[in-house]
Amino acid sequence: MHITTIGAAIVDIVVSTVQPMLGAKQDVDHIGLYAGGGAVNAAFNMVACGAQVAVHACVGDDLEGGLLRDLLQRHGIQAVMSPHHHLPTGKAVVMVDDTGAARAYAQRGASAWVGEQGFAGLAQSDIVYVTGLSLESQAWLQAALAAMTSRSFRLVVTPGARQLSNPAALHGLWDQADLLCVNAREAASLVGDDTLQVDDPPPEVAEALARQLIRRPGQAALLTLGAGGALFFDGEQAHFHPVRRVEVVSTIGAGDAFASAFVHAWGGGASPQAALAAATDSAARIIQVVPANQAGALRA
């Protein structure tokens, strides 16, 4: 299976374990430098599952961009990146507290400009997996898709914060998506439901949200429900899977790990329950480590 991921490639500076600040300086357990970004996290996970993967991203002409390209290539991932971008490679400082909850401070830099040079090679993919994009990148991708007279790949969309904040702009990709992946609160926001007050609604509430997300026949939706598990709606029937209880070290990358593993299994013909189980196991592995993926530290 050949999968193309599209989205951010950034450097994560992960700091753990962070306590409430009482002074000007605090000792922490760990500070590490890792590859991050939705497209990169998904690519590492999918290649570990056995897929051939290409990443469409944008990094700067700097040390960090070179390290990201080298790490991807060492893992057998094709890095399709705009060369010599004048903006620096995107970075995020991720603060992880003693519960595993993470808060990120991001400078998106060049990562906001993926697709400025086009999206070569999409037609050769079995799955095109779209992660969070800037509105400019989203418009370039929609134009590339519109220019195709036909496509044989499945289009998976896992929108980011900028897209979710502007559902009207997202409609172009949302309409074309074969699978839309969001969490429960994001689903409620997209369908204009302001009554949802929890991250882990019961399956019947999640199913109602998923049904409202479907915009055309043949479309499916995947909703993560926090501690409540996950629900896949195939357009006709809902399939629920509970969460796997493990010690939470860090929540960064959990959503990427879940969705990418589900998509790999689903795209390979697995049953909904088998795909949900694979995704649950994948997310459980990631939340037991500090970084957002299992590629290891970013180094030369």
Side-chain angles (χ1 to χ4, degrees):
M1 185 188 309
H2 189 281
I3 301 174
T4 297
T5 69
I6 300 174
I10 65 172
V11 173
D12 281 346
I13 304 149
V14 182
V15 184
S16 70
T17 303
V18 178
Q19 305 293 335
M21 285 295 287
L22 299 177
K25 188 175 183 179
Q26 178 186 143
D27 289 332
V28 296
D29 296 331
H30 173 81
I31 299 177
L33 200 64
Y34 304 95
V40 166
N41 294 335
F44 284 130
N45 203 36
M46 288 168 166
V47 81
C49 292
Q52 292 182 301
V53 184
V55 174
H56 274 267
C58 187
V59 297
D61 184 20
D62 50 24
L63 173 63
E64 295 88 346
L67 291 174
L68 285 171
R69 282 190 291 263
D70 290 346
L71 185 63
L72 288 166
Q73 290 166 1
R74 288 203 301 273
H75 283 261
I77 298 168
Q78 181 185 2
V80 186
M81 295 179 172
S82 303
H84 311 305
H85 201 278
H86 67 281
L87 289 175
T89 297
K91 302 173 187 67
V93 178
V94 184
M95 316 292 282
V96 182
D97 68 21
D98 55 4
T99 71
R103 177 174 295 174
Y105 303 85
Q107 178 197 26
R108 300 190 183 275
S111 71
W113 296 94
V114 56
E116 188 176 16
Q117 306 298 323
F119 293 93
L122 294 189
Q124 285 70 54
S125 302
D126 299 305
I127 294 172
V128 172
Y129 182 94
V130 182
T131 67
L133 298 175
S134 67
L135 296 184
E136 292 84 357
S137 292
Q138 180 177 271
W140 291 326
L141 178 58
Q142 288 176 200
L145 293 172
M148 294 181 174
T149 55
S150 64
R151 63 176 172 88
S152 59
F153 58 79
R154 285 173 160 176
L155 180 65
V156 177
V157 177
T158 61
R162 294 185 184 186
Q163 296 157 290
L164 291 164
S165 67
N166 192 338
L170 179 61
H171 281 174
L173 281 183
W174 185 357
D175 290 344
Q176 294 187 66
D178 297 296
L179 176 64
L180 181 72
C181 305
V182 290
N183 65 37
R185 284 190 184 269
E186 292 166 348
S189 177
L190 285 175
V191 303
D193 182 351
D194 59 3
T195 64
L196 187 70
Q197 301 297 318
V198 294
D199 296 323
D200 54 349
E204 59 271 19
V205 173
E207 179 179 349
L209 288 171
R211 288 182 178 275
Q212 294 178 73
L213 289 172
I214 301 303
R215 297 181 62 85
R216 62 171 177 80
Q219 197 172 50
L222 177 67
L223 273 65
T224 53
L225 312 177
L231 181 136
F232 171 61
F233 182 67
D234 61 16
E236 297 181 359
Q237 182 180 355
H239 308 268
F240 172 77
H241 197 282
V243 73
R244 179 179 160 194
R245 302 291 178 182
V246 295
E247 181 184 357
V248 178
V249 174
S250 170
T251 58
I252 58 173
D256 295 329
F258 187 94
S260 59
F262 178 90
V263 167
H264 179 268
W266 171 75
S271 69
Q273 280 300 323
L276 285 167
T280 300
D281 288 345
S282 175
R285 286 191 295 272
I286 287 298
I287 66 176
Q288 293 181 83
V289 298
V290 169
N293 55 66
Q294 294 185 313
L298 189 63
R299 58 171 64 93

